[in-house]
Amino acid sequence: MERPDVVRPLGHIEMYSSSRHALGLYRGIANACQYVVPAQALRSGSGSLKAVVESALARTILRLGSLRVGIIDEDTNKPCFTHIPSINLHDIIEWTVVKQGGGSSDLESELLRVIENRLDQAWCDMHLRPPWKLIVVEDSRRSAGGKDPVVLEMVFAAHHAISDGKSTALLHAVLLEELNRASEPPSTLRDHVLSFHDSPVLAPTQEELVKFNISWSFLFRCLWDEFGPAWLKSQVPDRPWTGKAIALAPNGLNLRCVTIPSDVVQLVLTACRSHSTTFTALLHALVLCSLSARAPANVATAFSSSTAISLQPFARLPPGVNMDLSKFMTDMNTAMSHKFGAQVVAELRGVEPGASKENLVWRSAEALRAEIQRRLDTLPDDDITGLLAWVGDWRKHWLALIGKPRDDTWSVSNIGSNRYNGGSGGDAEGWRIQRSIFTQPAMVAGPAFAVNVSGVDGGVITLTLNWQEGIVEAGLIEGIAGDLQAWFKHFKQTQTFGGFRGCSS
């Protein structure tokens, strides 16, 4: 078989992502946006609903080069992006219709099932087709044949090497623009096959865009942590509880969803500003509060979490390169860790049942915000992603982690509240997005569970909690999700988180 044309080798963070996929450790990310369009707008247009979506997606693919690359040699230390000359959109778009009549819960349940199913699968034949899909979940009770607005859940699922969380939001923003253009299908789309004459243009690699400055002291600490003999290292105080050790199986994904209504979002954001903190930091503090009450005190004496950080604000184009990076999909991120020692956890557990932990939560959130800000002020200096080039064999690296404790109990990935206006200036007669749900797969070599955050500007914020089957008890995560939902509901009524009655403290 003829070898595909290479666009460029994967960068170090892209290789980090592809190596996890090759071993089944992390199979992709997903962002499901709820699209709404008045039925009248569709009837006044041309073509069926499926044809409208297909045409808009085709034009989106032409605008975003990362959507038309494949990956070869993923199981080696030299993977490459390749040029895919054509895409059959029937292979890329999946369509499912929810026919139950039980209300919005049916649609959400089906949506979560679709996401779990897709993120449980590896991307196959990446030398022939790009590793992403658009899965459309349609509510049959609100279809184009009636008078009510048409509601579609569109799930963009992708290999992490071609898209990070921020880029999933870019995909939906561009797709929304194209749906509102009501343009004709591209001339190169024939019988559902979209062809490309030229190789796609991709953004430079993260290491080309971000100038990492690594000090000798930071390098030495990293090498010591990785290779230093255990008998010479001091014992780690307050070793965090992080669920069961890293294991390849079972690796099924579990998802739970929490929705924060738009009116509550505004109240919470105002409260965060008054307490000199952010929503991300507050979320860490609330998860810590719930987990401290629900995890068994005899084994879980301390915890550790991490915050995902986008490196896009630190990107600078190399000399001679002229492009608008905001219009390119990228994989550019790092993370920082937070430690919650035995004293902090014991203090949370020491509050009387039903009593208020309000001050403790806001104090923790303020401290976390300051911690995150200090890290942002020093980036991109002494960042671990600046050392990825030192990993000579990613397969060996990952397999060496099997059976070892996880670094963190949980992680928070917040892709922000995105402005989705479709280029229509908020025109109520056009397509609009009213909800975004971002999530990750089972993180086999990652934290015990993750909390993912996505919102629509001026609208709801959605949290998903994802975890690998068997790593933590389902009841524990369901309890945390229940606490979060109850606390935000209580906040709407009182502008406080109250007595934290959701916890069994």
Side-chain angles (χ1 to χ4, degrees), residues 33-57 59 95 134 136-138 142-144 149-154 172-183 420-434:
C33 282
Q34 187 175 82
Y35 288 71
V36 180
V37 62
Q40 180 60 36
L42 286 175
R43 286 196 294 271
S44 62
S46 59
S48 67
L49 183 58
K50 290 185 178 181
V52 169
V53 171
E54 180 179 286
S55 178
L57 181 62
R59 296 191 300 272
W95 203 286
L134 186 74
V136 184
V137 181
E138 180 183 357
R142 303 172 77 179
S143 64
V150 176
V151 178
L152 299 179
E153 298 281 358
M154 297 204 208
H172 281 291
V174 174
L175 178 58
L176 184 62
E177 287 181 5
E178 293 300 338
L179 285 166
N180 276 312
R181 289 189 201 281
S183 302
Y420 292 122
N421 60 26
S424 62
D427 185 355
E429 296 304 313
W431 289 80
R432 59 188 175 88
I433 290 176
Q434 63 183 16

Side-chain angles (χ1 to χ4, degrees), residues 21 118 122-127 129-130:
H21 177 267
R118 177 57 261 179
W123 299 99
C124 300
D125 300 325
M126 291 188 291
H127 63 294
R129 59 178 64 93

Side-chain angles (χ1 to χ4, degrees), residues 238 284 288 301-305 338-342 344-345 368 410:
D238 301 343
H284 274 294
L288 172 64
T301 58
F303 303 107
S304 173
S305 70
H338 316 282
K339 305 300 180 185
F340 306 101
V344 172
V345 175
L368 281 162
W410 77 90

Side-chain angles (χ1 to χ4, degrees), residues 24-299:
L25 305 181
Y26 190 106
R27 291 186 169 129
I29 56 178
N31 188 344
C33 282
Q34 187 175 82
Y35 288 71
V36 180
V37 62
Q40 180 60 36
L42 286 175
R43 286 196 294 271
S44 62
S46 59
S48 67
L49 183 58
K50 290 185 178 181
V52 169
V53 171
E54 180 179 286
S55 178
L57 181 62
R59 296 191 300 272
T60 299
I61 294 171
L62 292 175
R63 290 176 58 180
L64 299 174
S66 292
L67 297 179
R68 45 193 182 100
V69 296
I71 300 176
I72 59 170
D73 300 332
E74 186 180 55
D75 56 351
T76 74
N77 291 320
K78 295 182 179 180
C80 293
F81 288 124
T82 62
H83 171 46
I84 301 291
S86 63
I87 298 175
N88 188 329
L89 297 186
H90 278 184
D91 294 335
I92 291 293
I93 304 175
E94 295 182 8
W95 203 286
T96 183
V97 178
V98 179
K99 297 181 179 179
Q100 299 98 317
S104 59
S105 61
D106 289 330
L107 188 63
E108 183 171 294
S109 296
E110 176 65 13
L111 177 63
L112 294 180
R113 187 199 66 79
V114 164
I115 295 172
E116 287 177 343
N117 182 62
R118 177 57 261 179
L119 293 185
D120 272 341
Q121 301 177 53
W123 299 99
C124 300
D125 300 325
M126 291 188 291
H127 63 294
L128 297 175
R129 59 178 64 93
W132 64 272
K133 277 186 178 291
L134 186 74
I135 308 170
V136 184
V137 181
E138 180 183 357
D139 185 349
S140 63
R141 297 173 298 114
R142 303 172 77 179
S143 64
K147 296 181 179 179
D148 292 335
V150 176
V151 178
L152 299 179
E153 298 281 358
M154 297 204 208
V155 183
F156 173 64
H159 192 304
H160 204 333
I162 69 167
S163 175
D164 59 16
K166 291 285 188 182
S167 292
T168 65
L170 172 63
L171 175 283
H172 281 291
V174 174
L175 178 58
L176 184 62
E177 287 181 5
E178 293 300 338
L179 285 166
N180 276 312
R181 289 189 201 281
S183 302
E184 293 297 320
S187 60
T188 55
L189 176 63
R190 297 179 182 177
D191 296 325
H192 310 291
V193 176
L194 184 64
S195 300
F196 319 103
H197 301 302
D198 300 320
S199 182
V201 176
L202 304 181
T205 63
Q206 178 170 283
E207 57 269 25
E208 292 176 297
L209 292 169
V210 180
K211 183 174 176 53
F212 294 105
N213 298 306
I214 306 297
S215 67
W216 285 108
S217 58
F218 176 76
L219 177 60
F220 177 78
R221 287 198 306 273
C222 292
L223 293 175
W224 178 259
D225 289 342
E226 183 72 19
F227 301 111
W231 63 275
L232 282 178
K233 298 179 183 178
S234 58
Q235 291 297 314
V236 178
D238 301 343
R239 180 173 292 280
W241 176 83
T242 57
K244 293 183 180 179
I246 295 171
L248 289 175
N251 60 6
L253 169 64
N254 290 275
L255 281 179
R256 296 296 181 270
C257 189
V258 174
T259 300
I260 309 173
S262 57
D263 54 350
V264 181
V265 169
Q266 298 309 311
L267 291 172
V268 171
L269 294 181
T270 298
C272 284
R273 287 190 291 270
S274 70
H275 287 88
S276 301
T277 191
T278 62
F279 184 78
T280 295
L282 173 64
L283 193 55
H284 274 294
L286 291 174
V287 172
L288 172 64
C289 180
S290 178
L291 195 56
S292 296
R294 293 185 176 276
N298 60 328
V299 295

Side-chain angles (χ1 to χ4, degrees), residues 283-419:
L283 193 55
H284 274 294
L286 291 174
V287 172
L288 172 64
C289 180
S290 178
L291 195 56
S292 296
R294 293 185 176 276
N298 60 328
V299 295
T301 58
F303 303 107
S304 173
S305 70
S306 65
T307 300
I309 299 174
S310 172
L311 289 176
Q312 288 185 6
F314 306 95
R316 301 294 181 269
L317 290 172
V321 177
N322 183 21
M323 60 172 56
D324 183 352
L325 280 177
S326 68
K327 298 179 180 179
F328 284 78
M329 298 175 69
T330 57
D331 183 10
M332 296 183 59
N333 51 82
T334 186
M336 66 174 295
S337 290
H338 316 282
K339 305 300 180 185
F340 306 101
Q343 182 176 346
V344 172
V345 175
E347 187 177 10
L348 281 167
R349 284 175 171 153
V351 178
E352 290 296 320
S356 177
K357 301 177 184 178
E358 187 85 10
N359 291 336
L360 291 177
V361 167
W362 285 116
R363 190 176 71 193
S364 296
E366 185 176 353
L368 281 162
R369 185 262 181 188
E371 188 176 298
I372 294 171
Q373 189 59 53
R374 286 194 297 271
R375 184 69 194 106
L376 292 173
D377 290 342
T378 63
L379 281 174
D381 294 346
D382 287 342
D383 188 72
I384 192 64
T385 55
L387 297 177
L388 294 181
W390 287 61
V391 181
D393 189 328
W394 277 108
R395 179 181 177 85
K396 181 179 179 181
H397 167 82
W398 293 120
L399 292 178
L401 298 179
I402 305 303
K404 293 184 178 179
R406 298 163 190 276
D407 290 335
D408 295 309
T409 315
W410 77 90
S411 65
V412 173
S413 296
N414 186 349
I415 68 170
S417 289
N418 301 285
R419 294 180 180 273

